[in-house]
Amino acid sequence: MQLRLILTLLLISLYLSGLSQIDYDKYPRVSDTYLINDVIIQKNPSDSFGLGDILIKKGFIEKVAKEITAPPEAFILEGDSMFVYPAFIDALSHVGIPKAESSGEKKKVKFRGYPPNALVGITPELLTADLLDPTDASFAKARSNGFALAHVVPRGKILPGQGSLVLLKQAPTEDLLLKDKTSMFFQLKGTRGYYPSTVIGVMAKWKELFRQTKFYSQHQTLASSGQTRERAKNNKVLSALIPLTQKQQRLFMRAVKSKDIYRAFALQKELGYDLVLSEVREGFKVIEKIKEMNVPILISTKLPKELKEKTKKADKEKNIKEGKDSLEESEELQKLKKRQKESYTNYLAQAAVFEQAEIPFAFSFLDANHADFKKALLKMIDAGLTIQGALEALTTNPARILGLSEKVGEIKSGMMANLFLSDKPYFEKKSHIKYIFVEGEMTELELEKKKISPESKKTFLKSLKGRWGYEFETPNGKYSGLFVISGSDELRVNVTASDKPDLVLSTREISLEGQTLTFAFTKNIDNGPTNIEVNIEIDGEEFDGQVNTEGSKSFPIVGSKISSPENQND
């Protein structure tokens, strides 16, 4: 009896010990019910709901209302007037697909004009699900930038493989696949040294494969029904292409340049499959043709590098080196610069041109990094794309193109709980995503601090010195003035106000962390001395941040550099 009691106590002890070591990353959270309180909700691109609550249960949005009573089991997330948007949809990318290592050696084949399919990138049988690595850095990067769902395709050449719709959450691969074998990916990308190596060769090979697949499919049907005695031999390449020939899959074709777009239309017209133009960068050149063909469009998020004007000093040095006396540019050079500028402007304005032409589009990320996307998007908006148009391209349009309009793309009852919370309106330059929900699973995102090397820090400190104009507004009125930054070993900051330019206030508690400058000073306001703290993030020659006044709220502050000191060592 005593031995049985000892054994029972030992088993209980081991059980409790096991409980304390559960890896909660591998098991569901205690509650799958969330109530998000007091948030400003953008239900879809055209419907701004305003301040309200969102109830999430078992991965889906249960209710959206002005006020919701929390169920007993709910985890309550205090929104504090943050901004909520439907999570973004990546319409086409390689997210989570690691890059293959290349040996650089050319394989020897008996006939270069008829190489093995895999050697020249004809692998339509490959599935994203078999290649996906959820631990790849691109996975978390996409999620931290507001993306909850991605249409992922394999990397490769002509026919890399079949795409899958992938949820960008932390889970094993089998739990991430919303839908498998959703598409076929095609590129006009040959292999040097083997057939096909040219664009024309790739097009010819594609037409040959497509027609072979149709005959192969017909023969399989006849063989299975007993209408022919000839055995249907298995061909993995042609078998993988059958759903495309029967319009059970769409072909997502990479068509970067205007010539590629015309080629894509010619192939589609001849072969008759369902086409989605992808990674388009020169659609603005053939806008009428695209409108006429009425096919889904995915615009590339990779923008050209910003044009920078050379300084007069650089031009002078170049001219001296070339033996020229004048700084005047030739007429040809002026025309070249004009064409470059027009081309750059057209690339930035492509999304706006599509929106104005009423051609729905989404974004693809085959050649772009999700971390750089917001910067590119804001450039597109500056070039004429509306915020509503941008939201459509990131939510409802890709949902429609991918056949998911009933599941994702909006914040409403019955939809999958894919959404994110931003501390400011998302399309403001300095907004940050704080939380993202993917199929109802919440991830809190930490703001990445910019790392600066010692040499870069030295350059940055040098660039800080000078006179910076500032502006901020309170209920009592607008305030403006100067921050004068100086010092060599230690930074010094003096403050003046526009209404009293001769009154110079010194500061204390000066701190520089990364590109964030913090300092405090005391100023006589109304009833006496008031402590004021300034926290600003500097980006080039501009800054924004917060001014915190003692016993009051904080207020946003913005500014820019006016001049640099004559002696940078001062």
Side-chain angles (χ1 to χ4, degrees):
M1 182 70 179
Q2 194 173 12
L3 179 61
R4 184 180 297 175
L5 179 62
I6 292 170
L7 288 171
T8 302
L9 290 172
L10 181 61
L11 287 170
I12 292 171
S13 174
L14 288 169
Y15 173 74
L16 292 174
S17 174
L19 283 181
S20 67
Q21 296 178 36
I22 289 175
D23 184 352
Y24 285 100
D25 286 337
K26 296 179 181 178
Y27 294 88
R29 290 179 172 83
V30 175
S31 176
D32 54 13
T33 302
Y34 292 86
L35 179 64
I36 307 174
N37 263 342
D38 298 328
V39 283
I40 299 165
I41 305 166
Q42 185 75 40
K43 292 181 73 176
N44 58 50
S46 60
D47 184 359
S48 182
F49 182 79
L51 193 67
D53 299 346
I54 302 171
L55 180 63
I56 295 171
K57 281 190 175 183
K58 295 182 179 179
F60 290 87
I61 297 169
E62 181 82 7
K63 189 177 181 181
V64 180
K66 291 295 181 183
E67 191 173 341
I68 300 173
T69 302
E73 73 276 15
F75 175 88
I76 299 174
L77 177 62
E78 297 293 348
D80 293 328
S81 297
M82 283 195 279
F83 295 80
V84 179
Y85 297 86
F88 298 152
I89 301 169
D90 170 352
L92 187 67
S93 75
H94 301 306
V95 64
I97 305 291
K99 291 182 179 178
E101 293 183 10
S102 176
S103 63
E105 294 180 9
K106 277 192 175 182
K107 292 187 178 180
K108 292 182 180 180
V109 297
K110 192 171 184 180
F111 302 108
R112 285 180 177 266
Y114 194 71
N117 284 324
L119 183 60
V120 291
I122 299 174
T123 54
E125 71 279 6
L126 291 184
L127 305 179
T128 292
D130 297 331
L131 305 170
L132 194 69
D133 179 8
T135 65
D136 190 82
S138 62
F139 218 79
K141 186 63 71 176
R143 185 172 59 243
S144 66
N145 282 276
F147 290 84
L149 178 67
H151 172 212
V152 183
V153 292
R155 298 178 187 273
K157 297 213 175 211
I158 300 173
L159 283 164
Q162 299 175 56
S164 296
L165 300 178
V166 179
L167 291 165
L168 302 176
K169 61 180 183 178
Q170 296 168 304
T173 300
E174 58 269 22
D175 295 335
L176 302 176
L177 298 178
L178 188 60
K179 191 177 179 183
D180 200 13
K181 303 180 184 179
T182 56
S183 62
M184 187 65 67
F185 182 43
F186 174 54
Q187 307 178 101
L188 296 171
K189 190 186 283 188
T191 303
R192 190 175 177 182
Y194 306 98
Y195 176 80
S197 59
T198 65
V199 170
I200 300 301
V202 171
M203 291 174 70
K205 184 66 177 178
W206 171 232
K207 286 189 274 189
E208 177 192 335
L209 283 169
F210 194 87
R211 289 179 178 129
Q212 283 179 347
T213 302
K214 281 200 161 186
F215 286 125
Y216 176 75
S217 178
Q218 290 168 5
H219 185 267
Q220 278 195 323
T221 302
L222 291 171
S224 61
S225 62
Q227 295 180 55
T228 178
R229 289 185 300 176
E230 188 179 348
R231 184 170 61 87
K233 295 177 182 178
N234 184 49
N235 184 310
K236 62 182 180 180
V237 168
L238 300 184
S239 293
L241 290 171
I242 288 175
L244 180 71
T245 63
Q246 297 177 349
K247 295 193 174 182
Q248 296 168 5
Q249 275 184 342
R250 277 177 163 176
L251 186 79
F252 282 70
M253 178 174 171
R254 181 188 177 96
V256 174
K257 297 185 177 293
S258 55
K259 286 182 180 179
D260 299 331
I261 295 171
Y262 278 118
R263 288 164 178 153
F265 288 150
L267 288 168
Q268 183 208 24
K269 187 176 180 180
E270 185 175 342
L271 302 176
Y273 46 75
D274 289 336
L275 173 70
V276 179
L277 283 180
S278 308
E279 201 64 20
V280 173
R281 294 184 207 163
E282 293 186 356
F284 56 88
K285 294 182 179 180
V286 289
I287 196 77
E288 292 304 321
K289 184 66 177 176
I290 289 173
K291 198 166 187 178
E292 175 195 332
M293 296 301 291
N294 191 31
V295 300
I297 306 291
L298 306 183
I299 289 178
S300 174
T301 50
K302 184 177 177 65
L303 297 179
K305 289 183 179 179
E306 192 171 347
L307 294 174
K308 293 183 179 180
E309 290 290 334
K310 292 180 180 179
T311 63
K312 287 186 178 181
K313 183 179 178 182
D315 283 337
K316 186 176 180 180
E317 288 175 354
K318 183 174 180 292
N319 286 342
I320 290 171
K321 195 173 182 180
E322 294 176 359
K324 298 176 184 177
D325 295 326
S326 173
L327 282 174
E328 291 182 9
E329 294 176 343
S330 68
E331 187 178 342
E332 285 144 4
L333 184 57
Q334 288 176 355
K335 286 181 180 178
L336 175 62
K337 285 189 173 182
K338 185 180 178 182
R339 286 197 302 272
Q340 288 175 334
K341 189 172 182 180
E342 286 174 353
S343 177
Y344 177 73
T345 303
N346 287 335
Y347 276 100
L348 294 189
Q350 176 175 233
V353 170
F354 273 79
E355 184 184 14
Q356 289 157 15
E358 298 182 347
I359 300 174
F361 64 91
F363 291 116
S364 59
F365 294 80
L366 294 176
D367 297 328
N369 190 323
H370 290 86
D372 301 326
F373 170 66
K374 186 175 180 181
K375 188 176 180 181
L377 182 64
L378 293 180
K379 286 183 179 180
M380 294 182 206
I381 290 171
D382 289 341
L385 177 65
T386 66
I387 288 176
Q388 180 174 331
L391 276 174
E392 287 172 353
L394 288 162
T395 56
T396 51
N397 286 353
R400 177 182 52 78
I401 291 169
L402 298 171
L404 296 173
S405 293
E406 300 301 314
K407 291 185 177 180
V408 295
E410 298 185 57
I411 298 175
K412 66 178 184 181
S413 178
M415 301 291 269
M416 186 177 288
N418 291 353
L419 52 89
F420 67 78
L421 283 72
S422 177
D423 60 352
K424 300 176 185 176
Y426 172 78
F427 295 95
E428 286 187 10
K429 185 178 179 181
K430 296 295 183 180
S431 66
H432 299 292
I433 297 173
K434 296 289 188 179
Y435 301 90
I436 185 166
F437 285 79
V438 182
E439 200 178 23
E441 294 183 15
M442 184 184 78
T443 301
E444 185 174 0
L445 303 172
E446 292 184 8
L447 180 63
E448 290 185 13
K449 293 181 180 179
K450 293 181 180 178
K451 295 180 180 179
I452 302 178
S453 66
E455 190 60 37
S456 297
K457 186 174 182 180
K458 187 177 179 181
T459 304
F460 180 64
L461 284 169
K462 190 175 180 181
S463 72
L464 281 183
K465 298 172 188 177
R467 298 163 72 241
W468 298 73
Y470 68 82
E471 290 182 354
F472 68 95
E473 187 173 357
T474 74
N476 297 324
K478 291 182 179 180
Y479 297 88
S480 63
L482 294 174
F483 297 146
V484 182
I485 302 175
S486 60
S488 51
D489 296 332
E490 290 186 4
L491 284 179
R492 296 192 299 271
V493 182
N494 291 328
V495 181
T496 63
S498 297
D499 57 347
K500 294 181 180 179
D502 296 330
L503 179 61
V504 179
L505 301 173
S506 58
T507 62
R508 61 184 183 277
E509 299 170 26
I510 301 168
S511 169
L512 181 65
E513 187 173 344
Q515 292 180 238
T516 301
L517 178 64
T518 304
F519 56 87
F521 63 96
T522 303
K523 183 178 180 181
N524 286 319
I525 300 176
D526 298 331
N527 299 326
T530 302
N531 292 320
I532 299 172
E533 184 181 283
V534 178
N535 186 299
I536 56 176
E537 185 173 345
I538 299 164
D539 184 4
E541 296 198 345
E542 295 181 347
F543 69 78
D544 66 2
Q546 298 288 324
V547 174
N548 303 298
T549 56
E550 187 178 13
S552 183
K553 295 171 67 176
S554 61
F555 305 100
I557 183 171
V558 295
S560 60
K561 194 169 188 179
I562 296 172
S563 63
S564 298
E566 290 182 3
N567 185 350
Q568 289 283 15
N569 293 319
D570 288 346

